[in-house]
Amino acid sequence: MIELINKKENIFGDDIAFVEQWDFSKANLNEENRILAITQVASICYQSPKALGSESLYNRLMAESMGLPSSSFEFVPVLLDPNNEQHQEVLALPYSNSKKFGELVEEGKYLLTNYRALVYDFENNPKSYSFDIRTIYNTLEECEIIKQHFKVFLYKVDFPTRSQMVRHRINWQELSRRYVSGKRVPFEFYISEKMKEVTSNGKSTQAVIDLCVEHYYQALEDGVKPQEARRIIPQAGYSQIWGGFMPTQLENYFKLRLDAHAQWEIQKTAEAMRDLLA
């Protein structure tokens, strides 16, 4: 029930960079969908397709950081209805992460939040509820409302563009080069047109990148772990990263990144997102 909707390819003109739009609106329909959504996100992080739907990975991510679930749990959107008695208990708290990381939608009728915030509230305030709020699921009708407001994208962009993107306070999850070595998933690089023309000491930009990659693999051969060896990889390297947007977050991203003053590469991510939504 987690679906790839569409894909915008070749956004940097090098046949590598892309933006995909995904539908995670039914991620909280049931436990099976939660597991699929969370492991779908995590499978990119660890580059392990076999992890998709893995309950063992799901359980490990559930307790990743002293009881606080992995950030991949933020990609399970949860809609809270003030007319629902169980939802009322969550909404009644004067302060909660569900509210802090949520947003009112449908003219303030519902609170759209995420499953990680919900679990965090329960772990810290279990006596505030008459039930286990982790058992809150959404109906198909509520999932249709979620679909209108929660947007998920998967990007393949270079490191500097990634760094600009994560300045936006949204839900992110990225390919981990700490765990995924270049031997398992080879590095790819983005070289802008201007950088293609630069040479120093007789070496082109591509030659400098090749030297760094050679040094990286030598480090691995010498027993250096990928988490250390990755420091030599140039900023031109590509990464994959998930982004999950609430309505105002998406509006802000477009406002800043479709602006003519934004760097060309991040403009292209925003243009691709806009085109996919259209």
Side-chain angles (χ1 to χ4, degrees), residues 17 22 47-48 88 135 161 208 220:
W22 286 70
Q47 289 291 296
S48 177
Q88 287 172 8
T135 61
T161 303
V208 172
L220 296 185

Side-chain angles (χ1 to χ4, degrees), residues 37 137 171 175 228 254:
Y137 297 103
N171 305 336
L175 162 63
E228 296 293 331
F254 284 153

Side-chain angles (χ1 to χ4, degrees), residues 204-233:
S204 66
T205 299
Q206 184 63 61
V208 172
I209 289 174
D210 292 343
L211 180 62
C212 291
V213 173
E214 180 182 348
H215 200 68
Y216 170 87
Y217 284 118
Q218 184 59 54
L220 296 185
E221 291 299 320
D222 291 349
V224 178
K225 293 182 178 180
Q227 66 184 29
E228 296 293 331
R230 61 180 170 167
R231 290 192 169 96
I232 199 64
I233 296 300

Side-chain angles (χ1 to χ4, degrees), residues 113-219:
T113 186
N114 69 75
Y115 186 53
R116 189 186 194 217
L118 207 69
V119 172
Y120 188 86
D121 286 339
F122 183 73
E123 294 289 343
N124 285 275
N125 305 283
K127 295 181 180 179
S128 298
Y129 311 99
S130 63
F131 69 104
D132 185 341
I133 64 174
R134 293 170 297 188
T135 61
I136 288 179
Y137 297 103
N138 286 119
T139 65
L140 282 172
E141 291 76 13
E142 290 168 339
C143 289
E144 283 301 311
I145 297 171
I146 292 172
K147 187 173 184 178
Q148 299 302 315
H149 300 287
F150 185 68
K151 307 297 181 181
V152 175
F153 299 91
L154 175 62
Y155 309 84
K156 190 168 188 177
V157 294
D158 61 301
F159 294 155
T161 303
R162 177 277 320 270
S163 295
Q164 293 181 64
M165 291 166 64
V166 299
R167 293 183 68 184
H168 292 264
R169 298 295 186 261
I170 69 164
N171 305 336
W172 296 111
Q173 183 75 280
E174 185 180 3
L175 162 63
S176 173
R177 283 298 181 176
R178 178 183 181 187
Y179 301 108
V180 182
S181 77
K183 285 186 175 180
R184 185 147 67 88
V185 178
F187 288 96
E188 295 176 283
F189 297 91
Y190 168 66
I191 306 176
S192 66
E193 292 301 318
K194 290 184 178 179
M195 286 302 296
K196 287 178 182 177
E197 301 171 2
V198 177
T199 60
S200 61
N201 297 322
K203 289 185 172 62
S204 66
T205 299
Q206 184 63 61
V208 172
I209 289 174
D210 292 343
L211 180 62
C212 291
V213 173
E214 180 182 348
H215 200 68
Y216 170 87
Y217 284 118
Q218 184 59 54

Side-chain angles (χ1 to χ4, degrees), residues 1-6 21-27 37 143-144 146-148 150-153 242:
M1 303 300 286
I2 311 303
E3 299 176 321
L4 170 63
I5 300 175
N6 210 342
Q21 184 188 0
W22 286 70
D23 181 5
F24 276 59
S25 62
K26 296 178 182 176
C143 289
E144 283 301 311
I146 292 172
K147 187 173 184 178
Q148 299 302 315
F150 185 68
K151 307 297 181 181
V152 175
F153 299 91
W242 289 100

